[in-house]
Amino acid sequence: MLIPYLELARNLKISSGSTVFISSDISRLAFEALENNIDFNVNEFIDIIQDKIGNEGTLLFPVYNWDFCHGIPFNYNKTVGKTGLLGNAALKREDFKRTKNALYSFAVWGKDKDFLCSLDPVISLGRNTVFEYLHRNNAINVVLDVAFSDHYTICHYVEQLLGVPYRYNKYFKSDYIDEHGNVSRKTYSMSVRYLELDVQGNADALYDEFLKHGAAYEEKIGRHTISYIDIAKSIPLIEKDILENNAAMQAQFKGQFDKKLSSDERMYKIIKDLFPITRSISGNGNRQTLKYLKENCLGELKILEYSIADNPTIFDWETPYEWNIDEAYIEDENGNIIIDFKNNNLHILGYSESVDITIPFSELDEHLYSLEDDIDAIPYVTSYYKTRWGFCLSHRQREELRKQPEKLYHVVIKSNFNKNGSITYGELIINGYEDDEILISTYICHPSMANDNLSGIAVATKIAKYIYALPERKYTYRIIFIPETIGALIYLKENINHLQKYVKAGFVLSCIGDDGDYSCVHTPYNNTYTDKIVTHVLKHITDTPKEYSYIERGSDERQFCAPNVNLPICTLSRTKFGKFKEYHTSNDNLDFVTEKGLQGGFEYVKKCIEILENNNLYQIKTIGEPQLGKYGLYPTISQKGSADYTRRLTNIIAYLNGENSILDIAEILNVPFNEVLEIIMQLNEKNLINIVGTEK
Ligand code: ZN
């Protein structure tokens, strides 16, 4: 008697010596057997396929499982696959072995079993993975009773190779129990879509392309659909689909950013969009600001609320009540509005209490704030910890009003203090494969001013994008958007032990979008790894670096570097807070911050991160100098510049004693870090150096 499911296996169009990857749902086959009163023997099914492939071929079944991404330990011997019965059945057999990746593992049999089971890259879908092997070895993917769109992980492998702008490698860490029962903490990446983007591929259309171009062939056996995909042939079609389907373009220009904006224009747009919002150390303006970032730029941003009722104090500080304001204006006797918060939110003294009174100007004047030395600017003034009310205005307007001290004014402020409210802040964590962290902090508590503090928000956002796009990430990045001072204290209260244990370097971003000098505020003793990096970057990014001592502190480095906190955090600015005349006035506006200024600010932070990610210690392998000509490193034709190159190369080699980091050597030779890094990469490629460690 013919047993249908075994017949199906015998009739599969796979040839001896081939590499076969089977994606399947055999429940229909099993059900069919049951209907015919036949025992379903999955091992017999696998045996037949093995016979067809023979000893020179390789057979793989997927046994993917994503629990590891949720912090559930991966157990090499026990974690079952969620991609079909066949894979799990194969895992139970002596002749199959499992590959190592905790997310995308395969049950493998045949010629390349040992090789495949030796692969263990952190990046689950990139180079040196089973997917690359399937690609390079012309594997056939046999798809049995599964919809194409449900299983074609190869698409994500191709996206990884192309480095598409709508996906990034997200790193997951959890315990890993290996085949011998040894437990270790491991990291694997998964390619995930940016949450704020909505990019749709069309799997059915792609599959039709496969059929049309001979990359796939389909047949029906009984009720079953079997398709054979030639993986190597399918890959150029996937590439074409990604590019022509414009998934990349959709990702770039979606939503708020639907216009074709370059990345510095995009930073500027963030500032422009957020500029009108009334922010303070608490309140709805801060929520609105973070919501904008989450919806348009950073889908993984967590918006956190720190309850005031539950936390009346933060270390030595009282938690301020949540403050919101609806209206604030002053009108004269004739009903002319002379100051209105709606026109510029700097007009209101931050944290003003409600009032509704009519008073003569002489009395009102005591509640006004203006700048004698900049008579057209509206100053930014707050009163968080003492209950007051007040208005800010240009000194010119105030002087005009002073001419009629008896004139009466109706003053209205509708604000409220909510003791049951909360203080809002944002946190974005981008894992690297190490637990050590870099803290990047910026603040969200200023109303309509551009450099202080919207530039920090825009640059931090672009830095987050840059970090996401790093194909490999050593450090875990913790990027926080907090109200200045009180937010830093709240964040410390919630995380101080973790931060003290893991943070190896960090930056406060403040006033980082103008066209002025590049500057920093050092840690109290200017002796941390962060200080060393920042000094180096400053020296090479500008001819006029401004390095300020901690004595001139003023932003959240005050909390992060305080005696019992002691984090290695420097503040990075273009022109430092307080050093530009527009500071804390209405002149810190959308003209003061420029696209070019922001781009410079971004480069400044990016260069610091490049050092952090790459600053390893290397040792030259040779005793005495290596003979460069042998490695093709010595120019055989003398060209302009070639002598310089050779001199630099040999100078770098001269310091590769295993004790100097790349940054140390860059400092010794007084050249930028990336110039040394470039040569280190060449030496590494020629196998002339060993990595000895990482500077921290
Ligand atoms: Zn400020």
Side-chain angles (χ1 to χ4, degrees):
M1 175 182 135
L2 286 179
I3 299 178
Y5 74 92
L6 297 179
E7 273 312 291
L8 183 135
R10 277 184 203 107
N11 285 315
L12 286 176
K13 292 185 179 51
I14 48 186
S15 51
S16 172
S18 57
T19 302
V20 177
F21 166 44
I22 300 189
S23 330
S24 64
D25 176 358
I26 52 167
S27 57
R28 278 198 224 177
L29 282 175
F31 183 70
E32 204 173 53
L34 189 74
E35 276 182 330
N36 294 314
N37 267 327
I38 302 164
D39 284 340
F40 184 78
N41 185 333
V42 68
N43 281 317
E44 232 174 311
F45 186 83
I46 294 172
D47 290 343
I48 293 170
I49 296 167
Q50 285 175 323
D51 281 346
K52 291 179 75 83
I53 293 172
N55 288 331
E56 285 303 296
T58 304
L59 175 61
L60 305 95
F61 298 109
V63 277
Y64 309 159
N65 182 311
W66 297 275
D67 287 349
F68 189 83
C69 302
H70 306 292
I72 297 169
F74 175 80
N75 190 325
Y76 181 88
N77 295 316
K78 291 187 180 151
T79 299
V80 295
K82 293 188 173 171
T83 42
L85 280 167
L86 266 179
N88 288 324
L91 282 186
K92 293 205 180 99
R93 293 166 60 117
E94 290 280 297
D95 52 350
F96 275 80
K97 198 168 177 197
R98 188 176 206 168
T99 60
K100 290 199 174 86
N101 191 286
L103 309 172
Y104 297 101
S105 66
F106 295 79
V108 189
W109 169 88
K111 183 169 67 99
D112 292 328
K113 178 169 82 175
D114 290 338
F115 166 72
L116 290 166
C117 292
S118 73
L119 302 174
D120 193 19
V122 170
I123 310 286
S124 302
L125 290 167
R127 304 251 172 247
N128 302 315
T129 60
V130 176
F131 295 99
E132 187 183 53
Y133 165 89
L134 294 171
H135 174 193
R136 303 285 171 216
N137 286 276
N138 300 311
I140 298 297
N141 185 196
V142 177
V143 185
L144 172 61
D145 287 341
V146 189
F148 173 78
S149 55
D150 288 346
H151 80 94
Y152 216 60
T153 314
I154 300 283
C155 288
H156 300 325
Y157 160 76
V158 178
E159 286 168 327
Q160 174 85 54
L161 293 188
L162 290 177
V164 295
Y166 52 91
R167 285 188 167 268
Y168 70 96
N169 285 327
K170 185 166 179 173
Y171 288 77
F172 297 94
K173 298 157 192 273
S174 190
D175 282 345
Y176 185 103
I177 303 158
D178 72 10
E179 60 177 311
H180 310 296
N182 301 319
V183 185
S184 61
R185 195 169 147 81
K186 286 182 83 165
T187 307
Y188 290 100
S189 84
M190 179 151 144
S191 168
V192 301
R193 181 175 57 77
Y194 288 108
L195 282 179
E196 70 275 16
L197 302 177
D198 176 26
V199 179
Q200 297 301 332
N202 184 341
D204 292 337
L206 178 59
Y207 183 62
D208 286 344
E209 286 294 293
F210 286 8
L211 292 171
K212 207 166 96 193
H213 292 91
Y217 160 79
E218 200 174 275
E219 66 173 348
K220 287 246 176 210
I221 301 181
R223 302 180 209 167
H224 309 284
T225 307
I226 298 148
S227 103
Y228 303 86
I229 302 173
D230 182 322
I231 291 176
K233 277 190 194 163
S234 76
I235 282 175
L237 298 170
I238 299 170
E239 283 182 2
K240 193 160 164 273
D241 181 68
I242 289 169
L243 300 171
E244 283 185 8
N245 188 4
N246 266 336
M249 300 294 271
Q250 287 178 42
Q252 298 268 17
F253 309 132
K254 195 237 156 204
Q256 289 285 334
F257 299 115
D258 52 1
K259 284 208 315 267
K260 190 170 175 174
L261 297 176
S262 68
S263 64
D264 41 337
E265 288 169 331
R266 201 165 299 175
M267 277 192 287
Y268 189 81
K269 176 155 168 54
I270 290 174
I271 292 180
K272 220 169 120 193
D273 289 350
L274 295 177
F275 189 79
I277 298 174
T278 301
R279 279 166 293 271
S280 183
I281 52 175
S282 64
N284 292 327
N286 296 16
R287 291 189 188 100
Q288 206 183 328
T289 299
L290 293 172
K291 187 162 170 268
Y292 170 94
L293 291 178
K294 185 176 175 71
E295 285 176 359
N296 298 294
C297 317
L298 304 170
E300 297 223 15
L301 180 70
K302 272 201 269 175
I303 300 176
L304 299 162
E305 300 284 351
Y306 185 81
S307 156
I308 295 159
D310 294 349
N311 304 277
T313 61
I314 308 158
F315 299 124
D316 200 39
W317 295 58
E318 253 172 60
T319 315
Y321 292 163
E322 180 180 332
W323 181 73
N324 283 291
I325 179 159
D326 299 321
E327 250 185 314
Y329 60 87
I330 301 172
E331 61 182 349
D332 67 13
E333 290 152 310
N334 305 320
N336 300 314
I337 304 247
I338 59 157
I339 293 177
D340 193 346
F341 151 85
K342 281 197 193 79
N343 298 332
N344 190 325
N345 56 31
L346 294 180
H347 276 313
I348 191 76
L349 172 78
Y351 265 67
S352 278
E353 60 184 334
S354 285
V355 308
D356 188 341
I357 44 171
T358 301
I359 47 174
F361 181 78
S362 53
E363 221 173 290
L364 172 61
D365 202 18
E366 289 163 26
H367 295 273
L368 299 183
Y369 302 85
S370 63
L371 295 168
E372 276 175 50
D373 56 354
D374 193 352
I375 63 164
D376 286 313
I378 307 166
Y380 164 55
V381 187
T382 61
S383 177
Y384 300 136
Y385 296 99
K386 187 170 187 311
T387 316
R388 288 192 174 95
W389 63 267
F391 283 84
C392 304
L393 73 172
S394 73
H395 200 65
R396 189 188 294 280
Q397 187 182 11
R398 188 180 190 176
E399 288 293 288
E400 199 53 43
L401 296 168
R402 274 180 174 161
K403 289 176 184 163
Q404 293 172 279
E406 313 79 29
K407 199 170 167 182
L408 291 175
Y409 292 94
H410 180 208
V411 183
V412 175
I413 299 176
K414 287 185 186 159
S415 65
N416 75 74
F417 292 93
N418 183 358
K419 65 178 192 307
N420 295 314
S422 55
I423 296 183
T424 314
Y425 63 100
E427 178 191 67
L428 178 71
I429 295 175
I430 309 173
N431 274 341
Y433 58 81
E434 287 190 5
D435 292 334
D436 286 339
E437 294 192 2
I438 308 303
L439 177 69
I440 296 172
S441 174
T442 196
Y443 46 101
I444 56 164
C445 52
H446 289 39
S448 295
M449 284 175 294
N451 205 27
D452 187 27
N453 57 193
L454 291 174
S455 66
I457 295 175
V459 170
T461 300
K462 188 170 173 191
I463 281 293
K465 289 289 192 191
Y466 164 76
I467 293 165
Y468 273 126
L470 290 173
E472 292 195 39
R473 227 173 288 124
K474 181 159 70 185
Y475 287 104
T476 291
Y477 290 83
R478 181 179 289 266
I479 304 176
I480 57 175
F481 300 84
I482 55 178
E484 215 172 11
T485 307
I486 203 69
L489 291 164
I490 289 171
Y491 202 76
L492 286 171
K493 191 175 171 198
E494 303 278 85
N495 301 287
I496 189 165
N497 292 335
H498 181 94
L499 298 175
Q500 287 178 330
K501 184 167 177 200
Y502 292 109
V503 169
K504 298 298 164 197
F507 314 97
V508 170
L509 309 185
S510 163
C511 306
I512 195 160
D514 61 291
D515 287 320
D517 288 329
Y518 291 85
S519 56
C520 76
V521 178
H522 280 293
T523 66
Y525 303 96
N526 189 358
N527 61 352
T528 70
Y529 186 35
T530 313
D531 293 295
K532 180 177 172 182
I533 291 171
V534 171
T535 296
H536 177 84
V537 170
L538 269 177
K539 186 161 58 183
H540 293 283
I541 204 170
T542 172
D543 294 333
T544 53
K546 298 275 185 294
E547 297 187 59
Y548 295 97
S549 130
Y550 190 64
I551 291 167
E552 297 194 61
R553 70 196 173 280
S555 186
D556 281 332
E557 74 281 1
R558 285 163 44 201
Q559 314 311 324
F560 294 136
C561 299
N564 296 317
V565 183
N566 255 324
L567 294 173
I569 310 293
C570 291
T571 294
L572 309 186
S573 305
R574 293 295 301 258
T575 312
K576 179 181 171 280
F577 43 84
K579 300 281 179 187
F580 51 95
K581 72 173 188 336
E582 296 83 355
Y583 174 69
H584 278 196
T585 76
S586 54
N587 288 332
D588 179 358
N589 57 24
L590 293 167
D591 293 327
F592 183 59
V593 160
T594 66
E595 285 163 15
K596 202 166 143 262
L598 288 164
Q599 185 61 25
F602 165 75
E603 288 293 329
Y604 181 17
V605 187
K606 182 184 137 192
K607 282 176 192 294
C608 295
I609 292 172
E610 273 170 356
I611 296 179
L612 285 164
E613 286 289 319
N614 295 291
N615 193 20
N616 298 321
L617 283 67
Y618 292 89
Q619 185 162 21
I620 191 84
K621 287 183 179 176
T622 57
I623 294 178
E625 290 183 334
Q627 190 190 337
L628 295 176
K630 211 165 91 184
Y631 304 96
L633 289 169
Y634 198 86
T636 46
I637 305 168
S638 178
Q639 272 178 320
K640 192 165 178 277
S642 67
D644 287 350
Y645 170 81
T646 309
R647 189 72 198 149
R648 176 158 314 158
L649 173 64
T650 53
N651 277 341
I652 289 170
I653 290 171
Y655 288 97
L656 285 174
N657 64 354
E659 286 168 22
N660 293 314
S661 67
I662 299 179
L663 181 57
D664 291 329
I665 298 173
E667 282 290 307
I668 292 166
L669 303 180
N670 197 24
V671 296
F673 177 89
N674 55 336
E675 286 186 22
V676 180
L677 178 63
E678 228 168 83
I679 286 179
I680 292 286
M681 293 298 163
Q682 290 168 14
L683 293 170
N684 201 28
E685 214 166 276
K686 305 290 178 191
N687 202 18
L688 274 165
I689 49 176
N690 281 325
I691 185 163
V692 181
T694 296
E695 181 172 8
K696 273 182 185 162

